[in-house]
Every structure is written in C-alpha cells, then in structure tokens.
C-alpha cells in the first residue's frame, strides 16, 4: 500500500506545466533541451510507496553501499560483513535487501556487482531527499556525487528504525514528480550525448549521478520492488 496523495485540487500541477517549468530551468543552465519530450504521469495517476517501505529501502541501501565500498577498498571482508549485517538486524531491515545487495552479504559477487551497488548511493540520496532529510539544493543540480559523509550520518545517528522514521517528513507527490520530471529531462540530454550526438551540451551534469538518482525517484512511484528492474528509457 502506498501513501495517499493529500492535496487540494488547486495544488495539482498539470504535467504540461511541469514540463514547461523544467524545460525553462534546463535551458537557463545551458543544457540541451528537447522541449517535446513526453510528459510524465500526473499526480492523480500515481501513488507513493508506503513510508515504512521507503525508509527500509533507504537504510538497507545505505548499509549495502557501505559494505560494497569496503569490498572495493579491500577492507577485511569478514569484519565488514559482520558489522553491517548486525546493523541490518539492528534496524530490522535484513529482509529488505535486493538480490544484488544480498550477493554482497553472501560473498557471491564479482567486481561489477560491487561497483553497481556503490553507485546506488545516489539512489539512496534521492530517497532521503524525498523523506525530507536533505534540501533541494543538495540534489537539484547533479554535478557531483552526493555528500557521502552526510549520507552515512542520516542513518548512523539513529538508534533504531523508528528513530530514523520519526525524523523524516515525506515530501508531497507534486514535489517528487517535479524532481523526477527534471531528472527525466536531464537523462535525455545525457543519453543524447552518450549515444547519439557527442557534442550535445550537458553543462555540469554527471551522467552516472543523473541516472542513479533518477532510478531512485522512479522507484518511489513504481509498483516494482527492485529498482534495478525499472526501465529508464528516455
């Protein structure tokens, strides 16, 4: 079950209005803009995932990223695995791992698996933004990776799941769709540069950061549980 969209009719944003606003913002940044890129869903057609589900995914993701970073840096695997698995149990999220994350804890991974999980710190960053734990200016212009020290403390400073959940303040569906729409348009520019037209101007955008943060935002309104299975076509 997802979160209800508690908004008055006057607060709804038409998808076309959202597109126009974000197109103007992108053009002001000097980034290539395809003005007729399709609109995303209206808030009346989507439902946010349940707050507990979002919080558990955020915590499980962060702890998975941390063990992935330790593996990448050749830290003692047994010690890292023990420490982060105990934290999974402490926050009661050991059953909320994705298959790709479980592989790290099961010592059943390759180098590519580790790199892919490390990058999901940006998916996590989208989730903690949606949970009201970071500000717009910390996510709106994806020119570099997230503040990972802050990313860790958002969970690390909490004693248990309830403490983490209680400090969240979920953003409304319109805010989340505004940001998702913006990242959808960022991703189009990055894809055009990578696959079609190398001289496409993407300004300060980091394509990998854009892709992963968009994945996190898409997951919030998707009926798919594993964000690795979400289509990110542009």
């Amino acid at each position: 079950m997802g979160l209800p969209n508690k908004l008055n009719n006057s607060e709804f944003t038409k998808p076309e209005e959202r597109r126009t606003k974000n197109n103007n913002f992108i053009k002001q940044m000097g980034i290539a803009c395809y003005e007729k890129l399709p609109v995303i869903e209206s808030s009346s057609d989507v439902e946010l995932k349940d707050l507990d589900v979002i919080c558990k995914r955020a915590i499980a993701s962060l702890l998975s990223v941390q063990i992935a970073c330790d593996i990448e840096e050749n830290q003692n695997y047994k010690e890292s695995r023990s420490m982060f698995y105990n934290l999974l149990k402490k926050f009661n999220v050991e059953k909320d791992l994705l298959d790709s994350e479980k592989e790290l804890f099961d010592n059943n991974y390759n180098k590519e698996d580790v790199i892919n999980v490390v990058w999901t710190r940006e998916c996590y960053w989208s989730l903690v933004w949606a949970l009201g734990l970071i500000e717009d200016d910390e996510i709106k212009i994806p020119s570099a990776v997230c503040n990972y020290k802050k990313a860790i403390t958002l969970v690390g400073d909490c004693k248990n799941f309830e403490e983490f959940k209680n400090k969240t303040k979920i953003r409304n569906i319109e805010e989340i769709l505004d940001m998702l729409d913006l990242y959808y348009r960022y991703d189009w520019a990055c894809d055009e540069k990578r696959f079609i037209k190398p001289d496409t101007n993407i300004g300060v955008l980091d394509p990998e950061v854009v892709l992963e943060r968009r994945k996190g935002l898409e997951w919030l309104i998707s009926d798919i549980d594993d964000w690795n299975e979400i289509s990110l076509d542009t």
Side-chain angles (χ1 to χ4, degrees):
M1 183 179 294
L3 294 169
N5 300 329
K6 296 180 180 178
L7 292 171
N8 298 321
N9 289 336
S10 61
E11 296 176 296
F12 286 128
T13 301
K14 292 181 179 180
E16 293 78 11
E17 294 173 351
R18 179 177 286 117
R19 175 172 62 183
T20 297
K21 180 183 70 174
N22 283 330
N23 280 347
N24 289 338
F25 180 76
I26 287 172
K27 288 186 286 187
Q28 289 170 7
M29 291 177 65
I31 295 169
C33 175
Y34 177 34
E35 297 199 36
K36 294 184 179 180
L37 192 67
V39 298
I40 66 169
E41 300 95 323
S42 166
S43 57
S44 61
D45 298 324
V46 299
E47 187 175 50
L48 281 177
K49 283 184 165 66
D50 182 80
L51 179 58
D52 276 18
V53 171
I54 299 171
C55 289
K56 287 182 177 182
R57 176 87 296 268
I59 296 170
S61 170
L62 176 69
L63 296 176
S64 298
V65 169
Q66 287 184 269
I67 190 175
C69 287
D70 277 4
I71 294 170
E72 192 174 47
E73 295 169 6
N74 295 313
Q75 300 296 317
N76 185 298
Y77 174 77
K78 288 185 178 180
E79 289 183 5
S80 293
R81 196 263 182 198
S82 177
M83 177 173 64
F84 292 119
Y85 193 75
N86 284 337
L87 286 171
L88 287 172
K89 292 192 289 185
K90 173 183 175 181
F91 286 96
N92 195 27
V93 296
E94 69 270 27
K95 296 180 180 179
D96 296 285
L97 295 172
L98 305 181
D99 288 345
S100 58
E101 297 164 347
K102 289 177 184 177
E103 290 175 351
L104 302 186
F105 286 94
D106 292 343
N107 198 12
N108 180 32
Y109 58 84
N110 57 39
K111 184 176 181 180
E112 184 178 359
D113 297 329
V114 173
I115 292 171
N116 288 340
V117 173
V118 168
W119 269 107
T120 61
R121 62 190 173 191
E122 302 301 331
C123 301
Y124 163 84
W125 201 240
S126 290
L127 266 55
V128 294
W129 169 80
L131 290 168
L133 298 176
I134 62 172
E135 302 300 325
D136 286 358
D137 61 5
E138 296 178 89
I139 189 176
K140 191 168 186 178
I141 301 177
S143 59
V145 297
C146 67
N147 180 341
Y148 194 49
K149 182 177 180 180
K150 182 171 184 177
I152 293 172
T153 60
L154 291 173
V155 173
D157 287 347
C158 299
K159 296 179 182 178
N160 52 44
F161 175 78
E162 288 302 322
E163 184 174 335
F164 177 79
K165 177 183 173 182
N166 288 340
K167 72 176 184 179
T168 66
K169 187 177 180 181
I170 192 75
R171 295 176 186 272
N172 71 52
I173 186 65
E174 295 294 348
E175 289 182 90
I176 291 170
L177 291 178
D178 281 351
M179 191 66 74
L180 172 56
D181 181 85
L182 179 61
Y183 267 80
Y184 171 48
R185 296 174 199 288
Y186 282 157
D187 202 19
W188 174 86
C190 292
D191 279 354
E192 181 171 89
K193 182 176 182 67
R194 278 185 292 194
F195 304 122
I196 302 172
K197 190 177 177 183
D199 62 349
T200 297
N201 190 348
I202 63 169
V204 300
L205 300 181
D206 182 316
E208 292 297 333
V209 173
V210 169
L211 185 67
E212 294 297 326
R213 291 186 187 174
R214 180 187 168 199
K215 185 194 299 182
L217 293 166
E218 295 275 8
W219 177 85
L220 289 166
I221 63 167
S222 173
D223 58 3
I224 295 173
D225 294 328
D226 187 335
W227 55 32
N228 296 306
E229 297 176 1
I230 294 175
S231 173
L232 295 175
D233 295 337
T234 56

